[in-house]
Amino acid sequence: MDRFIRLFIYLCFVGSGIVAQNTSPVIRFGLFADTQYGDCPPGNTRFYRQALQKLDTCIDCFNQQNVQFTVNLGDIIDRKNMDLDSIKFYLSHLDNEIYHITGNHDYKYIFRSIPVHFPAAY
């Protein structure tokens, strides 16, 4: 799956250079991944609380670019379900639809209450 996402992003960037400069894009969308927000102190190279500022900057950019939709590629939180409340507040400022793909952190924490049996968290 990771290879697929990287290939998709690569093709988006490469493909955008193929189109003539005087044409408008056929589709414009926003992608973000691995927000991994957590209301907790930093650990090693992880600065969990700073994720909200980065997400806010990302959302502002998407809104300025008038993207048609946004895709979250997963791992939106790092630790606790209650951290979703802060994330949802920021996402509510998007001017378009948002679609979510879940990541391993999401399965581990968000879906604990759903009666689905996964073979492993990863």
Side-chain angles (χ1 to χ4, degrees):
M1 183 65 153
D2 185 47
R3 285 184 182 174
F4 172 75
I5 292 170
R6 287 181 188 189
L7 176 63
F8 179 74
I9 292 170
Y10 174 77
L11 290 175
C12 288
F13 285 112
V14 170
S16 66
I18 295 172
V19 178
Q21 296 297 318
N22 61 355
T23 62
S24 61
V26 174
I27 189 169
R28 186 182 296 248
F29 60 94
L31 290 173
F32 70 96
D34 296 301
T35 306
Q36 295 185 349
Y37 169 69
D39 187 14
C40 57
N44 292 329
T45 59
R46 298 247 179 137
F47 300 92
Y48 302 104
R49 289 185 180 125
Q50 290 181 9
L52 293 178
Q53 295 167 332
K54 293 177 182 180
L55 181 60
D56 190 45
T57 301
C58 183
I59 289 169
D60 286 344
C61 179
F62 292 159
N63 288 340
Q64 288 173 6
Q65 293 294 316
N66 295 318
V67 299
Q68 294 166 293
F69 62 91
T70 300
V71 179
N72 160 30
L73 296 176
D75 290 347
I76 201 161
I77 61 169
D78 189 75
R79 299 186 182 218
K80 298 176 262 178
N81 289 347
M82 63 189 222
D83 290 334
L84 278 173
D85 292 336
S86 298
I87 292 286
K88 287 194 287 188
F89 172 78
Y90 281 86
L91 293 179
S92 72
H93 294 100
L94 274 168
D95 293 340
N96 55 67
E97 285 288 323
I98 183 165
Y99 301 95
H100 301 277
I101 299 172
T102 55
N104 62 318
H105 287 244
D106 303 324
Y107 283 113
K108 189 173 181 182
Y109 298 102
I110 295 174
F111 295 117
R112 276 189 181 159
S113 59
I114 297 176
V116 176
H117 302 287
F118 295 104
Y122 300 92

